[in-house]
Amino acid sequence: MNVLGIHCAFSHLNHDPSAALICDGKLIALGEEERFTRIKGARGLLPFFSIRFCLKQAGLKMEDIDLVVSTGETIKEQLDNNVKLFFKHYFGVVPPIQYINHQFSHLASAFFYSGFDRSMCISYDGRGDDLSGMLAVGSSKGIKVLEKMPIKDSVGLFYCAVTQFLGFRQAQDEYKVMGLASFGKEGEDISSLVRISDDGYSVRQENFGHPFPIRTLDEPIYNENLIRALGTPRRFGEPITDRHRNLAFAVQRSLEECVVRLVKRLHAKTGLDSLCIAGGVGLNCSANRIIHQLPFIKRLFVQPAASDRGLCLGNALVGAYENGEKIELPGHVFFGPSYTNGQLLSALKLTGQDYIELPDPGTKAAEMLAEGKIIGWFQGRSEFGPRALGNRSILADPRSIKMKDEINARIKFREEFRPFAPAVLEERASEVFEMDQPSPYMTVTFTVRPHWVEKLQAVTHVDKTARVQTVSKETNPLFHGLIAAFGRLTGVPVVLNTSFNARGEPIVETPLDALATFSSVGMDALFLGPYLITKPKPPRR
């Protein structure tokens, strides 16, 4: 059975359209529209290019699709004609379409992907299908919903609103608030925003919302009550002050207290020690760290594409499961496009780039990293989700704090408070970080062991934690080999890994995207498959 899962942005308030294809229980392809359109978040767009990629990857036509699954259960009547019109116009065929709940899709994307036989499950985000989350139990019998969380107590919308108040974009920049929080301290009173009790919390609704409808994600969702409670909001581009840092600290702390109470409540109902998490709040890796440290949590799985971009996967998984398909778990997220050496060469010739072909690009890359070079690393199928995991990455030496400043100044052009992530050999991860299980998707932060802090200055955050990616030889042998080679040269089995994109852009998808970004920023070299491209040294003055 061929099941196509889609997430469509049929409104300017929607974002991250995407598509997933499962054929006979096997995941074939995952596509994010932003990667193809080059519009970050692809707000208000439909997943045409994502669907087309999935079909091409499987060698199928739309006529071969047995079922399309979409979120939008609560607005099916309003949505159905638009979805059918979309398929009719772009593909000429309208397959059978099923609609499921937004929050249930998040649950499925986490539980069915985790490999756990039985687990607590949490979905939480801003809003979706008239809810802000669900608590559930997943088992071999499927997913049983235990509790539905109303929008009025949405911790996601609370965090989004303060993200906007701090001068960032909602549904896009929440991770900036998370990073900024580590630079703050106690002192800002936000008790008027969220009330936290022993067994839960409630969001003070009078601070959010307006008497008229919001038309875009860039309009503020907070109102004058919040301004009276917190003072003047930070305007976009204004300097960040201690007040802003302290407010970020307070908001992050409140979020952590809220989610811990949810987890404890779910544990009290189930007695289980495994937990699966999805929904946009699931991308808050600092909160995930607090959850991971709870004494009753033995196993934690956070969906790597926890935000709405992962809904296509949840939809496809639900469609496959409910139709009796035995789902094969892949153990990775490398399900985007790949390119032949011929296609890579065509891009190089089109752009007139000089290059050399390498028999062992990983070893050469490690040597350049050890020399202090910053490189682009473009290999294999692209990874699904918001984090580059070693196939569409910018890599650097993690040892010197100066490297963090170099990357920010020459390549990423981003706020100085935002941390970079380490990619570490899976078999040596517990030696470097305080962790007892693999973390292949950068979804949880871990404490850097004291004697490694000085050795990893570029990837250790101000609170001595890092958003760790463990790299296994089985899942990504080429990237693993690069890190191992760097470890042999330097004694450090870790590289700095950040997404291959410039500020405000999606992660690169095609060879031409990689070449364009390489040419426009201050990278020293680009490894495009087996081909190495370097920049000429600037003339001496």
Side-chain angles (χ1 to χ4, degrees):
M1 183 176 187
N2 300 322
V3 181
L4 179 67
I6 61 170
H7 170 51
C8 293
F10 277 102
S11 158
H12 288 295
L13 294 175
N14 298 123
H15 51 91
D16 296 320
S18 53
L21 181 61
I22 295 177
C23 299
D24 298 325
K26 184 176 181 180
L27 181 58
I28 302 299
L30 293 165
E32 300 176 60
E33 201 67 9
E34 69 169 28
R35 303 284 185 91
F36 302 103
T37 63
R38 311 307 304 156
I39 301 171
K40 191 168 184 177
R43 300 180 178 195
L45 300 183
L46 304 178
F48 165 71
F49 293 103
S50 304
I51 293 172
R52 190 174 69 169
F53 155 67
C54 289
L55 294 174
K56 181 180 179 182
Q57 188 69 30
L60 300 177
K61 297 180 180 179
M62 190 58 71
E63 292 90 330
D64 302 314
I65 297 300
D66 299 299
L67 177 67
V68 173
V69 185
S70 171
T71 48
E73 177 187 62
T74 59
I75 54 171
K76 175 184 174 181
E77 288 72 21
Q78 303 101 291
L79 194 60
D80 194 46
N81 286 334
N82 296 92
V83 176
K84 290 176 179 176
L85 184 64
F86 165 62
F87 276 95
K88 183 68 175 176
H89 174 68
Y90 283 102
F91 301 101
V93 175
V94 181
I97 302 171
Q98 175 185 351
Y99 297 90
I100 66 173
N101 188 278
H102 179 112
Q103 305 299 339
F104 191 83
S105 177
H106 277 316
L107 295 175
S109 74
F111 176 69
F112 289 134
Y113 216 78
S114 69
F116 296 168
D117 54 352
R118 186 171 172 81
S119 176
M120 298 181 287
C121 301
I122 293 180
S123 164
Y124 39 29
D125 60 10
R127 64 187 299 161
D129 275 324
D130 292 342
L131 296 171
S132 67
M134 283 182 176
L135 306 182
V137 171
S139 69
S140 59
K141 297 180 180 180
I143 298 172
K144 180 181 179 181
V145 177
L146 302 181
E147 185 177 334
K148 298 179 180 180
M149 295 185 281
I151 292 174
K152 70 179 181 66
D153 286 324
S154 171
V155 290
L157 287 179
F158 153 68
Y159 206 87
C160 284
V162 183
T163 295
Q164 286 184 316
F165 186 88
L166 286 170
F168 304 116
R169 302 184 76 185
Q170 72 141 323
Q172 185 167 305
D173 290 345
E174 283 75 13
Y175 63 95
K176 295 182 181 181
V177 177
M178 180 181 65
L180 184 62
S182 298
F183 292 87
K185 58 185 180 181
E186 293 184 4
E188 287 291 328
D189 180 11
I190 61 167
S191 58
S192 62
L193 307 186
V194 178
R195 286 178 176 165
I196 299 173
S197 59
D198 290 339
D199 61 348
Y201 62 89
S202 61
V203 177
R204 299 286 298 274
Q205 285 299 303
E206 61 267 26
N207 299 296
F208 313 108
H210 301 276
F212 50 87
I214 295 298
R215 298 297 182 184
T216 77
L217 287 171
D218 290 321
E219 294 177 76
I221 57 176
Y222 66 85
N223 57 36
E224 290 297 321
N225 291 328
L226 187 67
I227 296 174
R228 280 191 286 270
L230 300 182
T232 304
R234 173 179 173 261
R235 310 303 174 189
F236 181 79
E238 286 183 347
I240 293 174
T241 66
D242 285 343
R243 172 173 165 267
H244 302 131
R245 297 181 187 96
N246 296 343
L247 181 57
F249 175 91
V251 170
Q252 177 66 27
R253 180 68 60 85
S254 291
L255 176 75
E256 291 167 359
E257 291 177 355
C258 290
V259 300
V260 163
R261 278 157 177 76
L262 283 179
V263 175
K264 287 182 175 179
R265 191 162 78 218
L266 183 55
H267 176 68
K269 290 183 177 184
T270 65
L272 298 175
D273 59 9
S274 296
L275 175 62
C276 296
I277 294 176
V281 178
L283 290 178
N284 194 300
C285 54
S286 295
N288 293 341
R289 176 172 180 260
I290 302 300
I291 293 170
H292 185 257
Q293 292 175 334
L294 292 172
F296 56 83
I297 296 295
K298 304 303 181 187
R299 297 186 300 173
L300 174 65
F301 177 80
V302 181
Q303 167 53 238
S307 62
D308 284 2
R309 70 184 75 211
L311 289 171
C312 67
L313 174 60
N315 294 339
L317 288 167
V318 170
Y321 178 85
E322 290 184 349
N323 283 278
E325 296 287 340
K326 182 174 178 163
I327 300 169
E328 297 181 26
L329 296 171
H332 63 84
V333 291
F334 299 109
F335 285 100
S338 63
Y339 302 89
T340 65
N341 286 353
Q343 290 172 312
L344 300 179
L345 285 171
S346 294
L348 288 167
K349 291 176 180 177
L350 178 65
T351 56
Q353 292 280 359
D354 292 328
Y355 62 90
I356 59 173
E357 185 172 358
L358 302 169
D360 184 2
T363 297
K364 180 62 176 177
E367 292 171 354
M368 297 186 77
L369 292 178
E371 294 168 359
K373 300 291 195 297
I374 302 171
I375 68 171
W377 185 250
F378 183 102
Q379 307 291 336
R381 296 186 70 174
S382 61
E383 49 274 81
F384 183 74
R387 275 104 189 220
L389 298 172
N391 281 11
R392 301 290 185 273
S393 291
I394 294 172
L395 307 177
D397 187 336
R399 294 175 293 174
S400 171
I401 191 64
K402 293 180 181 178
M403 184 55 70
K404 177 181 175 181
D405 297 333
E406 279 279 298
I407 297 174
N408 272 330
R410 292 168 49 190
I411 297 169
K412 303 297 278 190
F413 313 120
R414 67 186 200 176
E415 297 87 353
E416 74 285 349
F417 60 81
R418 290 167 54 191
F420 289 107
V424 59
L425 297 179
E426 181 180 277
E427 61 271 24
R428 295 191 62 184
S430 61
E431 171 190 338
V432 182
F433 306 98
E434 294 181 6
M435 58 192 306
D436 57 3
Q437 67 179 54
S439 181
Y441 303 125
M442 291 188 189
T443 53
V444 182
T445 60
F446 298 91
T447 299
V448 182
R449 293 195 182 276
H451 59 285
W452 280 93
V453 170
E454 286 299 313
K455 300 176 184 178
L456 298 174
Q457 295 183 56
V459 295
T460 301
H461 201 31
V462 66
D463 60 0
K464 302 298 188 290
T465 67
R467 178 164 46 89
V468 179
Q469 177 200 1
T470 55
V471 180
S472 75
K473 189 174 183 179
E474 292 72 26
T475 300
N476 197 333
L478 187 59
F479 192 37
H480 183 277
L482 184 160
I483 302 171
F486 183 79
R488 289 191 294 271
L489 290 170
T490 65
V492 177
V494 179
V495 298
L496 183 155
N497 178 17
T498 188
S499 56
F500 196 156
N501 63 292
R503 183 178 183 179
E505 296 180 352
I507 297 174
V508 300
E509 181 52 69
T510 69
L512 287 176
D513 295 337
L515 287 164
T517 299
F518 171 67
S519 298
S520 64
V521 301
M523 270 185 280
D524 298 301
L526 169 61
F527 288 80
L528 197 68
Y531 306 111
L532 169 61
I533 305 97
T534 57
K535 291 176 179 174
K537 293 182 180 179
R540 290 185 178 180
R541 294 183 178 179

